[in-house]
Amino acid sequence: MEIQKHGILMVSDFFYPNFGGVENHIYYLSQCLLKLGHKVVVVTHAYGNLSGVRYMTGGLKVYYIPWRPFLMQNTFPTFYGTLPIIRTILSREKISLVHGHQAFSTLCHEALMHARTMGYKAVFTDHSLYGFADLGSIHMNKVLLFTLADVSQAICVSHTGKENTVLRSGLPPEKVFVIPNAVDTAMFKPAPKPPDRNEIIIVVISRLVYRKGADLLVEVIPEVCRIYPNVRFIVGGDGPKRVRLEEMREKHSLQDRVKMFGSVPHAQVRSVLISGHIFLNSSLTEAFCIAILEAASCGLLTVSTRVGGVPEVLPDDMIVLAEPDPEDMVLAIRKAIAILPKIDPQVMHDRMKKLYNWQDVAKRDRDSV
């Protein structure tokens, strides 16, 4: 039986040139759906002078509509302000399916609402976990309840994420599918020559914000450096908590053992990862965490907090989990250093190629609608 070809509109406030898990997911998923013969168009807001229509690799068409972000890369909610331009794109591009990404994307919610108003099939993918008690989460959950009342299907990136979305949105569990993220293993591969293990290098690449556990790093790094004189840290990323890390480095005189790289462009992430042996993730909440996949694909052993969907991401012999507590994280790093001699980066990379690929994600996305 011939598979129906769709015209798919991907909508989110989060897309290139901004970098992150959602942006990568949309890009790689779109590229694989194009290869499967579907038509894919992306709609996002303007980024600085980047406005209008642009074409990316593989003929991926992107509409940077002239809306400016007003908070955390989100456009101002207008309900019907985006209707004329969304309607024009749906008609012009002969779209049959609208796929919105990320719960706190205003553009996503408005596009899904307009799509259902005009009778289009609508799918929503949730990439994050949210609470139920604080004011922001209560407001977000009410919006989600309204937007997802009439969607065809919802997709989550982990089973923990599915439970969270079902509870927040009131969707029947049978309408919510779990399709994980993936990693481009051709881009993230181990170094031809593994780094010398006389000096152990622990890599952190993350936004330096509270949610990503930057405060935990402030307590964990000095303790690990005290226990192991041959351990160095590389910290890539930027954010409001960077000041705390730099203060910690000054206070404990660790300037020669803790390198702060600042914001690392995605194209250079591999070159940072392959200089290390262990990848450290200190997130306080995480639905999936693509960064762990990228590190494992480069052959690094991962130490991570046991939060959200992280325990689902890798097999037990490729990751050491810890509670989001400084003492437990130090113990986990000690355990990782002990088992490091047994880790073969190339074997780990080969396993990742079998476990995760974007072609499989695209096929599962297609089959779910």
Side-chain angles (χ1 to χ4, degrees):
M1 189 179 75
E2 190 178 343
I3 295 169
Q4 182 188 355
K5 300 300 181 188
H6 288 284
I8 303 166
L9 187 70
M10 300 277 187
V11 188
S12 181
D13 279 303
F14 308 99
F15 194 63
Y16 297 155
N18 201 43
F19 277 101
V22 180
E23 293 84 348
N24 284 350
H25 182 102
I26 296 171
Y27 175 77
Y28 284 113
L29 178 59
S30 299
Q31 292 293 342
C32 291
L33 288 169
L34 284 168
K35 286 175 185 173
L36 290 172
H38 301 281
K39 178 178 182 177
V40 185
V41 178
V42 177
V43 173
T44 188
H45 63 70
Y47 281 87
N49 295 324
L50 187 58
S51 184
V53 179
R54 298 289 189 276
Y55 286 88
M56 301 184 79
T57 309
L60 177 62
K61 191 174 185 178
V62 185
Y63 283 87
Y64 289 95
I65 62 173
W67 260 252
R68 300 292 174 186
F70 87 108
L71 180 67
M72 293 171 66
Q73 291 301 335
N74 272 297
T75 47
F76 189 79
T78 59
F79 288 97
Y80 292 100
T82 51
L83 177 57
I85 198 161
I86 294 291
R87 180 183 176 278
T88 301
I89 294 168
L90 290 171
S91 174
R92 178 191 292 169
E93 302 293 344
K94 296 181 171 57
I95 298 298
S96 58
L97 171 70
V98 176
H99 191 164
H101 291 262
Q102 192 60 314
F104 55 84
S105 168
T106 309
L107 200 56
C108 161
H109 288 291
E110 292 187 8
L112 290 175
M113 184 178 71
H114 301 329
R116 291 307 297 141
T117 302
M118 290 183 276
Y120 287 89
K121 205 169 188 178
V123 176
F124 170 74
T125 295
D126 202 355
H127 295 262
S128 300
L129 302 176
Y130 289 89
F132 300 89
D134 61 285
L135 192 62
S137 295
I138 291 167
H139 170 72
M140 193 70 260
N141 295 344
K142 291 292 182 187
V143 172
L144 207 62
L145 203 67
F146 173 76
T147 308
L148 302 192
D150 200 26
V151 294
S152 312
Q153 276 98 17
I155 296 168
C156 295
V157 294
S158 65
H159 291 279
T160 304
K162 175 179 175 176
E163 289 178 22
N164 186 261
T165 299
V166 167
L167 286 169
R168 287 160 49 226
S169 66
L171 279 170
E174 59 272 16
K175 283 181 77 173
V176 184
F177 296 85
V178 176
I179 303 173
N181 286 307
V183 62
D184 183 358
T185 50
M187 181 179 177
F188 291 93
K189 51 192 177 186
K193 183 184 177 186
D196 184 25
R197 284 183 178 163
N198 290 329
E199 185 177 53
I200 296 165
I201 297 171
I202 300 175
V203 180
V204 179
I205 298 182
S206 165
R207 291 196 306 279
L208 301 179
V209 295
Y210 171 77
R211 192 173 72 85
K212 292 292 184 179
D215 295 301
L216 280 175
L217 294 175
V218 170
E219 297 185 53
V220 169
I221 291 173
E223 183 60 17
V224 173
C225 288
R226 185 187 66 79
I227 298 167
Y228 295 98
N230 65 328
V231 167
R232 286 200 301 114
F233 282 84
I234 291 175
V235 181
D238 213 341
K241 295 288 183 179
R242 180 174 177 171
V243 176
R244 284 211 66 198
L245 282 164
E246 294 194 344
E247 286 174 350
M248 170 274 293
R249 194 169 63 158
E250 296 287 333
K251 180 181 175 183
H252 297 277
S253 302
L254 295 172
Q255 291 90 337
D256 58 332
R257 297 181 64 188
V258 180
K259 282 189 179 178
M260 305 284 291
F261 277 10
S263 185
V264 180
H266 193 251
Q268 294 173 23
V269 168
R270 175 188 172 263
S271 62
V272 176
L273 287 172
I274 61 172
S275 63
H277 304 90
I278 294 170
F279 179 76
L280 179 61
N281 172 54
S282 58
S283 292
L284 302 180
T285 173
E286 200 77 73
F288 189 84
C289 193
I290 292 180
I292 289 176
L293 295 189
E294 293 172 348
S297 185
C298 288
L300 276 73
L301 178 62
T302 299
V303 174
S304 177
T305 43
R306 190 186 285 105
V307 294
V310 170
E312 302 173 34
V313 175
L314 290 175
D316 291 344
D317 59 333
M318 294 170 74
I319 187 169
V320 181
L321 295 169
E323 296 304 318
D325 169 77
E327 286 183 21
D328 205 36
M329 287 189 72
V330 171
L331 284 173
I333 291 169
R334 295 181 75 165
K335 184 180 176 184
I337 290 170
I339 63 174
L340 200 56
K342 300 174 187 174
I343 301 297
D344 184 330
Q346 191 57 50
V347 170
M348 194 177 278
H349 175 74
D350 293 340
R351 288 177 70 186
M352 290 301 296
K353 283 167 82 171
K354 293 175 184 174
L355 286 170
Y356 291 103
N357 70 78
W358 283 109
Q359 287 79 12
D360 179 54
V361 171
K363 286 173 185 171
R364 290 168 70 180
D365 264 51
R366 177 197 66 193
D367 296 342
S368 71
V369 298

